[in-house]
Amino acid sequence: MDLHNLGVIAAGIAFAGAAIGGGIGVGVMYSQFLAGMSRQPELAGKLLSRAFLGLALAEALPIIVVGMAFTLINK
């Protein structure tokens, strides 16, 4: 097996892990956001802004992994 093929396999595993982890993270975060908003509707604005911040942080890791996976492929 060629070293390039191992890089492609590693990139595929990294893509899959990032997609699964990001999806789980965003799903848990928004479920808790909706639970908190239903308990205290007066805090909906503050919770929404923090939910958007959490979304950005939860999606940053998959974006970084995509960049790292491309470097694995091109190595």
Side-chain angles (χ1 to χ4, degrees):
M1 196 178 253
D2 190 11
L3 189 61
H4 177 71
N5 292 340
L6 291 177
V8 172
I9 292 171
I13 293 171
F15 281 136
I20 291 169
I24 290 172
V26 170
V28 168
M29 184 202 47
Y30 273 110
S31 71
Q32 293 301 312
F33 161 69
L34 291 174
M37 191 174 69
S38 66
R39 286 189 199 114
Q40 293 183 333
E42 65 274 4
L43 293 178
K46 187 182 277 191
L47 290 174
L48 183 63
S49 64
R50 291 189 178 154
F52 285 143
L53 178 64
L55 173 71
L57 293 174
E59 288 296 323
L61 180 63
I63 292 169
I64 292 169
V65 168
V66 166
M68 291 174 66
F70 281 130
T71 61
L72 282 173
I73 291 174
N74 292 326
K75 217 171 194 185

